[in-house]
Amino acid sequence: MPHLNIEFKARVEAIEPYENLLRSHHPEFRGLDHQIDTYFNANYGRLKLREGNIENALIQYERADYAGAKSSTVTLYNHVPHPALKAILTQQLGVKVVVNKQRKIYFIENVKFHFDIVAGLGHFIEVEAIAKGDSHTKAGLQEQCDYYIKFFKIQPAQFVEQSYSDLLLALTA
């Protein structure tokens, strides 16, 4: 079942100052996840297989590429890791690109915070305000993202329009 996110991604010099600032809000720390996201050639949106020590999911999402907070429609299938899934997807769709990252994961209620170090790209923070059923409106999610943009003092030049996959593909073009 798809759900709605409003999210933003920002490039930062170092994640520690932002992580320390977030800790003042007493977030729930979920852990450090080494994630390998394999993006496949998809006819619609983006399709990735996330393999991590915390999060493992097949994720299909559709999101516009522009700076700032933006909406994303996500369908998430959490799975028990098994090499056959990746083999089937690779054989049927072909691999587009692989993203390798270290991700610290925090939550405050329905808002998820990622502090990422992405191989070949650098340091980033991502904030996702996630709709849980009918409990949050699109406007409410936008309000949450706007709050954290101000809280972290994100400047317009720091916003990243694209996914990590697109940034990596641009490096090889």
Side-chain angles (χ1 to χ4, degrees):
M1 182 84 178
H3 66 270
L4 177 67
N5 284 0
I6 302 290
E7 60 190 69
F8 70 85
K9 180 184 323 191
R11 187 182 296 271
V12 296
E13 290 295 318
I15 59 175
E16 292 80 13
Y18 298 94
E19 187 177 10
N20 290 337
L21 189 58
L22 181 66
R23 285 188 185 129
S24 71
H25 275 42
H26 309 288
E28 176 192 345
F29 179 59
R30 295 279 176 94
L32 174 63
D33 201 6
H34 178 214
Q35 297 180 346
I36 303 295
D37 288 349
T38 303
Y39 284 77
F40 298 96
N41 297 308
N43 292 327
Y44 175 77
R46 294 178 175 100
L47 179 66
K48 66 183 171 185
L49 180 65
R50 171 160 296 151
E51 299 171 286
N53 52 299
I54 297 173
E55 296 180 338
N56 290 281
L58 182 62
I59 305 164
Q60 192 282 325
Y61 66 101
E62 181 69 22
R63 181 186 67 223
D65 289 334
Y66 59 86
K70 52 194 156 261
S71 65
S72 178
T73 303
V74 180
T75 303
L76 183 80
Y77 173 69
N78 292 305
H79 66 91
V80 175
H82 193 285
L85 179 58
K86 188 174 190 174
I88 291 167
L89 291 166
T90 298
Q91 190 171 27
Q92 291 299 312
L93 300 173
V95 173
K96 187 174 185 179
V97 68
V98 176
V99 176
N100 183 345
K101 65 181 173 284
Q102 296 289 329
R103 169 172 278 179
K104 291 182 181 178
I105 304 168
Y106 291 88
F107 270 90
I108 297 177
E109 296 176 359
N110 67 303
V111 182
K112 186 177 183 186
F113 303 86
H114 302 147
F115 297 93
D116 294 340
I117 301 172
V118 183
L121 295 177
H123 300 84
F124 300 86
I125 61 171
E126 280 187 345
V127 175
E128 295 179 1
I130 304 166
K132 306 246 182 179
D134 294 333
S135 63
H136 297 88
T137 65
K138 186 174 182 178
L141 298 173
Q142 183 68 52
E143 219 173 86
Q144 289 177 310
C145 274
D146 291 345
Y147 171 81
Y148 286 108
I149 289 168
K150 290 176 187 163
F151 176 76
F152 287 124
K153 298 180 177 143
I154 301 298
Q155 299 302 306
Q158 290 179 275
F159 285 118
V160 177
E161 298 175 11
Q162 300 166 303
S163 71
Y164 295 139
S165 64
D166 294 336
L167 294 172
L168 285 170
L169 286 168
L171 291 176
T172 60

